[in-house]
Amino acid sequence: MMKHLVFLTGAGMSVESGFKTFRGSDGLWENYPVEQIATHEGWERDPELVTNFYNMLRKKLWTAVPNEGHRLIASLQNDYEVTVITQNVDNLHERAGSKKVIHLHGVLAKVCSSRDPYNPEYIETLTPEHSDVEPGTLAKDGSLLRPFIVFFEESVPMIAPAAHEVTSADLLVVIGTSLNVYPA
């Protein structure tokens, strides 16, 4: 039986790939107050600002390349059962080849209904060629299309599956996170 390795990764994991951390010096929160772009209230107050912020992040996503850390974790799948639990909204683990990735805070390359964000019927995956969301675009249920991101103070739907993976791990490795973000 293969040993089960679980990696919990945070923003520091993707810095080498060109993504700023949110809390570090010159982090994203220094340029954009968290209340404006990462809360439900910010979304309701100014959905155009929030949509444009995540459009800007997606542009960076498509030009980013998985770094050696992403590739090393993926390579361990040859000898171990590997689960990646990430606080990151990028898809660099998947692009490096990791097959089992749990995103705690959502996925930047997806958008969803603002009325029913976790209904799979209303989640759309964006591509590099079609990744900008025009502010005011509607989801299939008629609500505004919003980033598929877990905003601050929203529940984290993937926390239970992540906790299950951690409890079944033979080894847990934590990389690139301050562990200051609840509930991780």
Side-chain angles (χ1 to χ4, degrees):
M1 184 164 173
M2 295 177 101
K3 295 281 187 187
H4 182 202
L5 308 181
V6 175
F7 291 86
L8 172 63
T9 66
M13 183 78 202
S14 296
V15 167
E16 196 177 309
S17 295
F19 278 91
K20 293 180 181 181
T21 64
F22 285 87
R23 288 179 170 73
S25 66
D26 194 34
L28 289 170
W29 296 154
E30 289 194 15
N31 300 321
Y32 296 90
V34 65
E35 299 80 17
Q36 283 185 322
I37 48 104
T39 64
H40 187 73
E41 292 76 22
W43 165 254
E44 287 183 334
R45 187 172 31 260
D46 194 346
E48 183 173 347
L49 173 71
V50 175
T51 298
N52 288 332
F53 174 80
Y54 289 98
N55 281 340
M56 179 265 306
L57 281 185
R58 275 191 291 280
K59 283 182 177 66
K60 291 180 182 191
L61 173 66
W62 304 127
T63 61
V65 177
N67 62 50
E68 187 64 17
H70 294 110
R71 291 189 296 275
L72 284 171
I73 291 172
S75 73
L76 291 169
Q77 296 171 128
N78 296 328
D79 300 308
Y80 302 96
E81 177 187 349
V82 176
T83 302
V84 176
I85 301 167
T86 187
Q87 296 172 306
N88 298 341
V89 296
D90 63 53
N91 61 2
L92 296 174
H93 283 293
E94 291 92 335
R95 288 173 44 203
S98 288
K99 293 178 180 24
K100 189 171 184 182
V101 181
I102 297 172
H103 285 270
L104 291 178
H105 297 145
V107 181
L108 186 56
K110 295 182 179 184
V111 289
C112 60
S113 156
S114 55
R115 183 179 309 126
D116 194 3
Y118 302 105
N119 183 332
E121 188 177 333
Y122 306 129
I123 297 172
E124 299 176 31
T125 301
L126 303 173
T127 64
E129 300 78 28
H130 299 96
S131 67
D132 272 2
V133 175
E134 188 66 34
T137 301
L138 300 181
K140 291 177 187 171
D141 68 353
S143 68
L144 283 178
L145 204 55
R146 69 164 249 192
F148 186 65
I149 302 296
V150 176
F151 289 139
F152 279 90
E153 300 178 9
E154 289 183 330
S155 65
V156 179
M158 296 308 293
I159 197 67
H164 173 75
E165 292 296 323
V166 169
T167 60
S168 69
D170 292 301
L171 179 68
L172 172 64
V173 180
V174 180
I175 302 172
T177 177
S178 62
L179 294 176
N180 284 330
V181 177
Y182 177 85

